Amino acid sequence: MSSNTSRVALVTGASGGIGRAVAERLAADGIAVGVHYAGNKTRADETVAAITSAGGRAVAVGGDVADEHAMSAAFDAVEREFGGLDVVVNTAGIMLLSPIATLDLDDLDRMHRTNIRGTFVVSQQAARRVRGGGAIINFSTSVTRLQFPAYGAYVASKGAVEAMTLVLAREMRGKDITVNAVAPGPTATPLFLEGKDEDTIANLSKAAPLERLGTPQDIAETVAFLAGPARWVNGQVLYTNGGIA
């Protein structure tokens, strides 16, 4: 495995929240980072600026994760800028909550497109391009174990992510590439906090034995572990949730 100073990562959904924390954490390890965004180039540029001002290397790349042509171009751009690709982290996803009985099926289709097809498209490109000694890291959710009401469609999409991730790990036999999924629990991101009252947030904060919400940086530490030293962790779902499940 090459040293981190010559390693390159692409992080999808890296313009904010967990994705930005992951991009900054990998850059702190000396990894050059492609900062992917779907619609918010300004926030992606802010992430790039934060990384470069801290002495790291980064470039912003855009595109719909579910569009194979856009993602092929994004992978091309990162390889062109930094000379190859060693780590792909797929944090991009959307969460639309509703009881199954009343879910708008258009919301189901939107989550399917981004969370399932998007993960599949990015994983497909990663499987073709990541160099030996590299890592592919997808994102699930601890709600697959917690079974919170109103999360049915979202959890269905993430269950699919776990299944394809574990199959891809076996398909990469002989290539020295690990494939894993990270499954965060309640994490203090704008996406998570939006629409929740203080009591709900307080109750969720107490749910884990560590009695707090996770932070994006907590999740990023697990990704950095899988992206770097964790060469014997492969074909796994890592529940990163403080012991909530």
Side-chain angles (χ1 to χ4, degrees):
M1 186 172 69
S2 60
S3 69
N4 280 352
T5 54
S6 61
R7 284 167 70 79
V8 181
L10 170 61
V11 181
T12 72
S15 60
I18 289 172
R20 175 168 178 165
V22 166
E24 292 181 345
R25 179 64 181 79
L26 294 181
D29 278 347
I31 300 174
V33 183
V35 175
H36 164 269
Y37 64 94
N40 199 326
K41 186 177 188 301
T42 300
R43 285 174 61 188
D45 287 341
E46 290 170 358
T47 303
V48 169
I51 289 171
T52 54
S53 68
R57 295 176 296 154
V59 62
V61 293
D64 175 3
V65 288
D67 181 333
E68 65 272 31
H69 305 294
M71 283 302 97
S72 179
F75 274 72
D76 286 346
V78 174
E79 290 180 337
R80 194 163 51 243
E81 182 74 17
F82 297 122
L85 199 55
D86 304 284
V87 178
V88 173
V89 187
N90 196 25
T91 78
I94 59 174
M95 181 173 65
L96 303 168
L97 304 182
S98 167
I100 290 171
T102 55
L103 179 75
D104 183 333
L105 292 178
D106 287 343
D107 287 347
L108 178 67
D109 291 343
R110 284 176 60 199
M111 281 192 286
H112 186 287
R113 177 174 170 78
T114 298
N115 297 356
I116 301 179
R117 181 186 168 95
T119 299
F120 197 98
V121 165
V122 172
S123 295
Q124 185 176 67
Q125 289 291 328
R128 296 170 178 171
R129 300 188 189 225
V130 168
R131 297 183 287 205
I136 301 169
I137 303 159
N138 288 326
F139 263 70
S140 180
T141 172
S142 289
V143 187
T144 54
R145 287 185 176 183
L146 296 168
Q147 291 110 30
F148 290 149
Y151 282 75
Y154 176 68
V155 167
S157 73
K158 291 301 190 177
V161 168
E162 291 188 10
M164 75 174 81
T165 299
L166 302 189
V167 169
L168 182 58
R170 278 72 189 176
E171 291 179 348
M172 300 305 284
R173 174 179 291 274
K175 297 182 182 297
D176 190 26
I177 295 169
T178 63
V179 188
N180 295 286
V182 175
T187 305
T189 65
L191 175 71
F192 173 78
L193 297 173
E194 183 180 354
K196 293 182 174 68
D197 59 35
E198 288 185 14
D199 287 344
T200 300
I201 293 169
N203 287 336
L204 287 167
S205 297
K206 296 294 185 184
L210 297 177
E211 295 193 330
R212 66 174 177 85
L213 292 175
T215 67
Q217 290 71 29
D218 289 325
I219 312 306
E221 285 295 334
T222 299
V223 174
F225 173 63
L226 293 173
R231 298 309 302 164
W232 199 234
V233 180
N234 189 29
Q236 305 298 319
V237 180
L238 271 68
Y239 290 87
T240 308
N241 58 34
I244 195 172

